[in-house]
Amino acid sequence: MSLVNYLVLSGILFSIGSIAVLTRRNAIVAFMGVELMLNAANLTLVTFGRLHGDLHGQVIAFFVMVVAAAEVVIGLAIIVSIFRTRGSASIDDANLLKS
Amino acid sequence: MNQFVPPEIDWAALSPVLIVLGIAVIGVLVEAFVPARVRRATQVVLAVVGVGGALVAVAWRWVVVQADGPTALVAGALREDAPALLAQAILLVCAFVGLLVIADRSSGEDAFAPSGAAIPGSAYEAEARRAGLVQTEVFPLTMFAIGGMLVFPAAADLLTLFIALEVLSLPLYLLAGLARRRRLLSQEASLKYFLLGAFSSAFFLMGLALLYGYSGSVRFDAVATAVPATSGMDGMLLAGVLLVIVGLLFKVGAVPFHSWVPDVYQGAPTPVTGFMAACTKIAAFAALLRFFYVVAPGLQWDLTVVLWIVAIITMVVGTVLAVVQTDMKRMLAYSSVAHAGFVLLGVIALVPSGISSVLFYLLAYGLATVGAFGLLTLVRERDADGNVTGEALHLSQWAGLGRRHPVLAVSFTLFLISFAGIPLTGGFIGKFAVFGAAIEGGAWPLVVVAVLASAAAAFFYVRVIVLMFFTEPTGTDADPGTTVVRTEGLTAVAVVVCAIGTVVLGVVPGPILDLAANATKFML
């Protein structure tokens, strides 16, 4: 199977992720969209690593996984603290800050 | 075929970053092992010593680099050259004064929630407040953020830049949500900052992946050499470069990636706002400079159009929206958006003097920003019982402040006229240098827009000055409504340093400009 297919797949995943961030109102789901985008980038990196025949792509993907894990910790902490305050994790409810 | 070659690491050259991150790790240990009574004092001393020590280390490395020339560190992942060191020095100066404001306790309490995990308004929070709990984790968090920022100007590959981006962002997301008062706003700011920040770093990462696919490496220099050598993949190259720039422009707060700026600046604890407004911008612009000056010359024609549009709308939108704000912090937030547009001029110029002028501008802007936000922390509201509560941020609450508190009002005026770019302040010299570089780079239409925008921007700065000095105060003398609290002294020191810096940069800018003139070339 051609490696280009993987790139197309990662492009599709990246788009789904960014659409999820932009349209979903639940902070957790929006955050899952971000994770999907990061993983799409990982797939791209690994595929390009295979295309170029060097290991950098895979090593970078490992770094990204660690960063994504750290981001999950911070993100869930923030979302949980907001949820406990308001009883909802909806982004639309977080509208106190306005011009 | 893939034999492991251990990289040679020049530990001495890494010392500024190592000091700051080492202190951050020690700070985490202090949280675990030092008794609560002395924890805060320990953290403050550690942080101040850490940033001061890193500043000394940067000065030492500057001397070494001036003598021996720039070097590549850690197998080429970092560059130790004059622009990187100068940016780090500027960053550390602003971080130092920012840290003093963060550490200050005015009217006996700091700006942070006693227990960040407590639900706002709950019995547990009230209890934590009564027990006098202090949120000392802010110091290690700040140090981690500074550590990430220090790597930013020196990073010479996209992976290092990405990791540094996260190391600087993640602590800031948390710090934004820790305000002692108006906690709902603070938590909301934290959520917005986090979601949009994570979104933009995902774009940055995709850009990294595409550039890796294009050139087979994530090194700036390898990408730059691949630009003329590779044909037929221009789409991937452009998409990659644009996505990376989007990630950096988000951190800078340029339109159309600015939507987080006013909300986060307003919601975050004011000392943190000052720190991140100054330092994040310095770090992000330094990284943007390196990326742009190393990678972009090969694709100038494609990128210039995009960046011109971004710069123009950033200046115009920032200025126009700042005029209509009634909240001090939001006004300063939009003004910082407009400043991002001015600094972009120096980046777009693509001439050697662009680098030094941008760094000078960032120093002047950073000092004025930390000073102005430091003063905002002192002007407070009083409730019906006469207790001091949150900050008085509505413009009308500042009416007549200059009559009751002339020193505060005069220093605030100084920072405002530096923002406005009026002569005898650092802001003027900075604007002059950046505009000069832009003209040298042939971007004179941008300079015309920038001059018009600065003129318009002067309106809302002067409006605050008029409000402070020439408007009747709203309250009576017995109950002025707005009050100025006494500081422990640290904010006062920070404001004095910022004020002196602003004036010195404006009156005798020669030495600093000469210093900056050494930093006009990035090592490839």
Side-chain angles (χ1 to χ4, degrees):
Chain A
M1 196 165 72
S2 160
L3 286 173
V4 175
N5 292 345
Y6 291 96
L7 295 179
V8 173
L9 174 64
S10 82
I12 294 172
L13 288 176
F14 192 80
S15 314
I16 295 177
S18 50
I19 292 170
V21 178
L22 293 173
T23 58
R24 299 305 293 263
R25 298 319 349 157
N26 186 308
I28 304 262
V29 179
F31 185 36
M32 280 163 61
V34 172
E35 292 297 312
L36 198 58
M37 292 165 79
L38 292 181
N39 283 313
N42 268 352
L43 184 58
T44 317
L45 281 167
V46 174
T47 311
F48 279 135
R50 180 92 174 102
L51 273 172
H52 288 303
D54 77 348
L55 289 173
H56 280 94
Q58 297 180 29
V59 174
I60 297 170
F62 275 114
F63 275 93
V64 176
M65 283 182 216
V66 174
V67 166
E71 218 168 57
V72 168
V73 173
I74 306 271
L76 286 185
I78 293 171
I79 295 172
V80 165
S81 73
I82 279 236
F83 179 78
R84 290 203 303 173
T85 309
R86 299 167 186 255
S88 110
S90 165
I91 304 176
D92 285 344
D93 288 351
N95 56 2
L96 295 171
L97 290 162
K98 273 200 192 133
S99 50
Chain B
M1 119 198 179
N2 280 309
Q3 198 196 351
F4 179 72
V5 185
E8 263 184 47
I9 298 179
D10 183 358
W11 297 103
L14 290 175
S15 54
V17 179
L18 292 178
I19 291 172
V20 168
L21 290 179
I23 295 278
V25 173
I26 295 173
V28 174
L29 292 175
V30 165
E31 285 300 316
F33 294 113
V34 172
R37 272 178 302 110
V38 289
R39 209 180 282 159
R40 187 175 179 281
T42 319
Q43 293 282 22
V44 173
V45 171
L46 271 179
V48 168
V49 168
V51 175
L55 196 55
V56 173
V58 166
W60 167 54
R61 295 311 302 175
W62 172 270
V63 176
V64 173
V65 166
Q66 289 300 326
D68 303 347
T71 47
L73 307 174
V74 205
L78 295 173
R79 291 282 183 276
E80 190 187 43
D81 54 12
L85 284 169
L86 189 64
Q88 288 178 335
I90 293 170
L91 199 58
L92 285 166
V93 169
C94 292
F96 188 82
V97 281
L99 200 62
L100 291 183
V101 180
I102 289 178
D104 189 38
R105 284 183 295 196
S106 41
S107 69
E109 41 184 40
D110 58 13
F112 301 98
S115 169
I119 302 170
S122 65
Y124 178 67
E125 192 192 36
E127 200 173 318
R129 189 162 289 176
R130 258 199 314 282
L133 293 190
V134 197
Q135 190 89 42
T136 43
E137 285 93 344
V138 292
F139 296 103
L141 285 174
T142 313
M143 294 305 279
F144 277 120
I146 298 173
M149 289 167 184
L150 282 182
V151 177
F152 233 52
D157 82 39
L158 289 164
L159 179 61
T160 314
L161 198 59
F162 177 67
I163 304 291
L165 178 80
E166 293 294 329
V167 171
L168 92 83
S169 304
L170 294 178
L172 286 178
Y173 300 151
L174 288 179
L175 285 170
L178 286 176
R180 176 180 281 268
R181 304 172 191 287
R182 301 188 178 123
R183 286 199 54 202
L184 288 181
L185 289 186
S186 179
Q187 287 186 343
E188 194 177 307
S190 178
L191 178 71
K192 285 184 177 168
Y193 195 13
F194 170 73
L195 277 180
L196 291 172
F199 192 47
S200 80
S201 54
F203 278 107
F204 181 95
L205 187 68
M206 199 60 187
L208 179 156
L210 292 178
L211 287 180
Y212 172 67
Y214 175 79
S215 66
S217 167
V218 286
R219 293 276 149 76
F220 290 178
D221 50 354
V223 176
T225 41
V227 171
T230 319
S231 65
M233 292 201 289
D234 285 354
M236 201 153 86
L237 169 70
L238 259 188
V241 170
L242 282 179
L243 286 176
V244 167
I245 289 183
V246 164
L248 292 174
L249 285 180
F250 173 87
K251 282 289 149 208
V252 159
V255 182
F257 318 106
H258 71 295
S259 53
W260 62 277
V261 174
D263 288 353
V264 174
Y265 280 24
Q266 187 189 356
T270 311
V272 171
T273 310
F275 166 70
M276 88 184 172
C279 297
T280 313
K281 198 158 273 183
I282 298 169
F285 264 118
L288 193 60
L289 271 178
R290 182 181 296 275
F291 182 71
F292 199 65
Y293 275 66
V294 173
V295 176
L299 40 146
Q300 210 175 345
W301 294 111
D302 302 307
L303 280 183
T304 320
V305 185
V306 180
L307 283 175
W308 274 49
I309 296 172
V310 169
I312 290 175
I313 58 174
T314 304
M315 289 184 288
V316 172
V317 170
T319 309
V320 169
L321 288 181
V323 171
V324 296
Q325 300 304 318
T326 53
D327 182 285
M328 277 293 197
K329 276 164 103 179
R330 282 188 93 83
M331 191 200 81
L332 289 180
Y334 278 111
S335 114
S336 99
V337 171
H339 280 286
F342 298 142
V343 184
L344 267 178
L345 257 62
V347 178
I348 298 173
L350 267 184
V351 290
S353 65
I355 302 172
S356 55
S357 62
V358 163
L359 292 175
F360 186 90
Y361 193 113
L362 290 171
L363 177 61
Y365 165 80
L367 287 177
T369 303
V370 174
F373 279 103
L375 288 173
L376 283 191
T377 63
L378 300 179
V379 181
R380 301 290 190 86
E381 291 171 340
R382 270 184 199 280
D383 62 7
D385 304 332
N387 298 316
V388 176
T389 58
E391 283 133 11
L393 292 172
H394 199 274
L395 279 182
S396 61
Q397 290 174 304
W398 284 61
L401 204 70
R403 306 192 181 180
R404 293 209 184 87
H405 305 280
V407 178
L408 181 138
V410 166
S411 29
F412 199 70
T413 304
L414 175 67
F415 298 134
L416 288 180
I417 60 176
S418 179
F419 282 141
I422 290 168
L424 295 183
T425 57
F428 171 73
I429 310 283
K431 278 210 174 77
F432 193 77
V434 167
F435 294 174
I439 287 178
E440 197 185 322
W444 63 265
L446 282 181
V447 176
V448 173
V449 178
V451 169
L452 290 178
S454 330
F459 163 73
F460 57 81
Y461 298 122
V462 170
R463 185 177 58 181
V464 176
I465 298 171
V466 169
L467 196 67
M468 285 193 298
F469 288 101
F470 305 111
T471 311
E472 286 297 321
T474 43
T476 58
D477 275 345
D479 172 29
T482 305
T483 181
V484 172
V485 291
R486 294 186 64 82
T487 83
E488 234 182 2
L490 294 176
T491 299
V493 173
V495 168
V496 168
V497 170
C498 292
I500 293 176
T502 305
V503 173
V504 167
L505 286 180
V507 179
V508 275
I512 304 284
L513 281 176
D514 290 344
L515 202 65
N518 290 318
T520 50
K521 194 165 178 346
F522 285 113
M523 183 194 171
L524 279 184

